[in-house]
Structures are given as structure tokens and as C-alpha cells.
Amino acid sequence: MYEKKEVRYIFGFSVSLTQQPSLSKIQKMQKVGFQLIYTSLVVPSDTLPVAMTHLQQLARFSKQHDLQLVVQIIKQTKSLLPELAKLSIQALIVDESFSKDEVKELALNYRIILNASTLNIDCFQNFKGLNIEAWHDRYEQPFTGLDDTFFQQQNQLIQRENIPLGAFLMSDISTTLNNAPTLEKHRTSSVFAHAIELIQQGIQTIIISDDDVSEEATRQFTDWIHSNYITLYMTSYVLHNPIHQFTFHTRPDLPRDVIRLQESRSYFSENVLFGRSRGRKVGDITMNMLGMGSYAGEVHLVKVDLPKNEHIFTIGKIRKEDQPLLSICPCNQKIKLEEMNTPIRKGISFT
């Protein structure tokens, strides 16, 4: 049984109202540890009745399973507010078409979420004392996602006002148009790595723009949310590699170029694994050989390309999707290396 840890961030996922909600997918995401459902009434007008029927079903399910429900509305759907009031909706996302007075009125009954990318000092003064949050939008069209520097600057402005922040990520398996990130650089499949990056930047609500993720990402989110360790998927370059049997910690003195796994020397100093000596590339898993003296058996995860050392052998490789985690993994972090299903055997080229 997992022990739930106290966190100051929330993971959410998206459910489209244009089709019947998949209750099995919602239950899967909740089991992983996701606590919030985002959905949107920004749909074509001719599909609005169907969308409302689906929203009612979603609201009933969310209430029964203690999930937060957040709904995006626009001025054109304001007439639906009396119907929304009957549902178990915790928060509304509103756009700039709502006036200051309308936002204040809605804030009497809902947590109001504003567009973090367009907030300014005047907005903070207008809504001071209200129960508001600021979420960045998701950008469906390629090349329209936010610039990283702008994102950080805007977040610093909002964080000074102690307003909670949210942002979107892409699922690593969906190809739908709605599966869109906040940051343009996150338009890749490294969903778990990007989630950790957002947490480190102070984002408190992280929403996947779909209702499912891959089995690998499911395992990673489960391990992080419930046990606070990072799982990295690897391919082994040696037979019978036992490294996946151990949980490691990153050292408290964080190196620039590699991650040093603190317990590795005690595990492997008298039983080193023989790989191949070569130039070390980003994502390589290396082990110090006996020629490294007291450092023999120490395992490194390589952050940047490094030169060859005849006393350091490469024993495996972190998969490409997880390599972004190497540059943002903090000190004293629990790490688990999970071997992929098809390990590389001896004799395979290391290029």
C-alpha cells in the first residue's frame, strides 16, 4: 500500500466534452494520483447540448470519486451558468471577455482561474482578495507555444502576488489536436520530465491535455506521487545487469556533468560490471572500474558528452524521453533505474 505524501502541487488531466467520458481512463488516472479534471465548454454551438449532457455525467462521477472539476467557459456560454451552479464544479476558467465585475460575481461561488500569460499589475489590483488562480493556456497549433523566458518572467510576476500557477503538458501517447502544451519546447513526448521541470519552476497545478498517458509515464507518475522517487527507463549494455534491483539517491553535492548515485559504491565496489570503455555521451550509464581506486563501482548518469576514460565503462543508456531529467534532477533525490523490455546484448555496437 502506498503512503500518500503531502504535496503543494496537484496533477490534473483533460476530458473532452465532445464525446462520452471514458470512466475507466478517469479511474486509472485517479489511481495514479491525479486529483483534478479539466474540461472545456468552448465547443461548437451545435454540439453544446451534447457537451452539457457529458458535463453532467462528469460532474456526478467527479463528486462520487472526490475529484476536483474545473470548467473553462467563455462569454457565449454565460447563459449556462444557472445549470453549472447545480453541478459539483470547484473552479471556472474565464477569459478576457468577462468584465471585472463579472469575475468578482463569479468568485462568490467559484474559484476563478485567469489567463496567467496575460495578467498584469492592474489585474492584480482589480482582483485583490478574490479566490483566484492563474493558469497558462495550452497552444494547439505548433510554433505558437510560449517562449521559455517569457514564461519564467510572467511566473515571477504572479508569484510575487502569491497567486497559484498552473500550466499544461502534452500526453505522450495522444495525437489529437487538443493534446497541446503551454510551452513550445514541451511539444515532445517527455511528459514526466516536463512535469518535474514545471514543479521546479513553482507551478502548482500541472494538467495533461488528455485523459491518458503511456504505461511508462503511468509508472513514473505513480512512483513520484506516492513514493517521491524518479524512475528512469534504461537499456542495459551487459547481461544480467542487477542495477534495476536497487533504489539510489543522488549525492548531496550535485556535480555539473554527471549524476553520482550515492549508494552504488557499496553495491558494486567488489563486483564491478564490465561494459566497454568509450567516449561518454549524454544519457550513458557508466561504472568506475578497479583502476579508480576507492571510487570503484560508482555509477554515473552522464549529463553532457565527456571524453573516454579507460577506467570507466559504459554499462547502459537512459532512454531518450528521460534524458531531460538528468539536467534537472536535484540533489538527495531518490532514483530507480528500470530496465526496458528489450535490453541490448553484448556485441551490439555502442554508437
Side-chain angles (χ1 to χ4, degrees):
M1 176 67 68
Y2 286 115
E3 180 180 350
K4 182 72 174 177
K5 64 168 184 156
E6 292 298 321
V7 295
R8 66 180 192 89
Y9 52 84
I10 293 175
F11 287 117
F13 58 97
S14 303
V15 174
S16 172
L17 296 178
T18 60
Q19 57 191 9
Q20 189 81 21
S22 173
L23 302 186
S24 61
K25 287 184 177 181
I26 295 173
Q27 288 176 312
K28 170 195 169 183
M29 297 295 277
Q30 185 180 32
K31 186 177 180 181
V32 170
F34 286 68
Q35 302 167 274
L36 180 147
I37 298 174
Y38 158 86
T39 194
S40 174
L41 279 172
V42 184
V43 297
S45 57
D46 59 337
T47 65
L48 201 52
V50 173
M52 281 300 298
T53 299
H54 293 160
L55 179 59
Q56 289 163 1
Q57 296 170 344
L58 193 59
R60 286 194 297 269
F61 187 86
S62 300
K63 185 177 181 180
Q64 292 169 359
H65 292 81
D66 196 27
L67 287 162
Q68 293 188 46
L69 181 57
V70 177
V71 179
Q72 183 173 13
I73 62 172
I74 55 177
K75 198 72 172 287
Q76 288 81 350
T77 53
K78 186 181 177 182
S79 61
L80 297 174
L81 285 172
E83 291 185 59
L84 297 180
K86 302 173 186 177
L87 307 178
S88 299
I89 297 171
Q90 282 75 33
L92 295 177
I93 301 177
V94 300
D95 62 12
E96 292 81 359
S97 66
F98 285 81
S99 69
K100 176 179 64 175
D101 291 337
E102 287 173 327
V103 170
K104 288 182 176 180
E105 182 180 352
L106 289 172
L108 297 175
N109 299 304
Y110 302 98
R111 189 167 83 251
I112 299 300
I113 299 171
L114 305 174
N115 189 332
S117 303
T118 58
L119 282 179
N120 54 40
I121 296 296
D122 292 338
C123 294
F124 300 139
Q125 297 303 317
N126 290 336
F127 303 128
K128 211 168 190 66
L130 297 183
N131 184 17
I132 65 170
E133 294 184 16
W135 291 9
H136 292 279
D137 205 349
R138 54 185 183 151
Y139 294 90
E140 298 170 355
Q141 184 178 349
F143 312 115
T144 64
L146 294 185
D147 170 74
D148 192 41
T149 300
F150 169 80
F151 179 74
Q152 293 178 23
Q153 292 173 343
Q154 194 71 3
N155 291 344
Q156 291 169 3
L157 177 68
I158 295 169
Q159 286 164 341
R160 285 199 292 267
E161 301 295 327
N162 294 315
I163 297 173
L165 280 161
F168 287 86
L169 292 174
M170 291 180 67
S171 168
D172 59 340
I173 57 174
S174 175
T175 58
T176 64
L177 181 63
N178 290 335
N179 186 29
T182 289
L183 286 166
E184 186 60 37
K185 72 174 185 178
H186 286 170
R187 210 175 290 276
T188 68
S189 60
S190 303
V191 60
F192 178 71
H194 298 332
I196 297 301
E197 180 185 1
L198 290 181
I199 289 171
Q200 292 186 347
Q201 293 186 8
I203 303 299
Q204 288 137 302
T205 303
I206 298 157
I207 313 100
I208 309 298
S209 294
D210 211 315
D211 58 2
D212 202 3
V213 292
S214 68
E215 288 305 312
E216 291 82 6
T218 295
R219 168 71 182 273
Q220 289 176 309
F221 279 111
T222 301
D223 291 344
W224 173 261
I225 294 170
H226 296 287
S227 301
N228 195 30
Y229 65 81
I230 289 176
T231 297
L232 300 170
Y233 285 95
M234 60 167 283
T235 296
S236 180
Y237 289 166
V238 297
L239 288 171
H240 311 302
N241 190 340
I243 199 168
H244 66 276
Q245 299 174 14
F246 304 102
T247 299
F248 302 93
H249 288 80
T250 59
R251 283 183 58 93
D253 48 342
L254 191 67
R256 182 192 65 177
D257 297 332
V258 298
I259 291 175
R260 299 172 65 189
L261 300 185
Q262 182 155 304
E263 297 86 352
S264 54
R265 271 190 268 173
S266 63
Y267 296 152
F268 300 114
S269 60
E270 297 181 4
N271 187 27
V272 296
L273 304 175
F274 290 92
R276 183 176 298 179
S277 177
R278 63 166 191 160
R280 291 160 285 173
K281 304 296 183 182
V282 174
D284 280 353
I285 305 168
T286 66
M287 181 173 286
N288 291 340
M289 296 295 105
L290 297 176
M292 298 296 284
S294 62
Y295 290 93
E298 182 167 292
V299 176
H300 294 170
L301 311 180
V302 179
K303 299 181 187 180
V304 298
D305 290 351
L306 297 171
K308 176 180 177 178
N309 184 316
E310 63 180 4
H311 300 300
I312 299 176
F313 284 4
T314 301
I315 62 170
K317 186 84 172 185
I318 302 297
R319 69 168 182 162
K320 184 178 179 180
E321 291 86 348
D322 292 342
Q323 289 176 17
L325 285 161
L326 301 179
S327 62
I328 61 175
C329 191
C331 57
N332 298 310
Q333 172 63 52
K334 286 193 293 184
I335 284 184
K336 176 83 171 175
L337 298 173
E338 188 70 25
E339 193 162 2
M340 301 292 284
N341 293 330
T342 54
I344 293 177
R345 300 305 184 186
K346 286 182 178 178
I348 296 294
S349 171
F350 281 24
T351 57

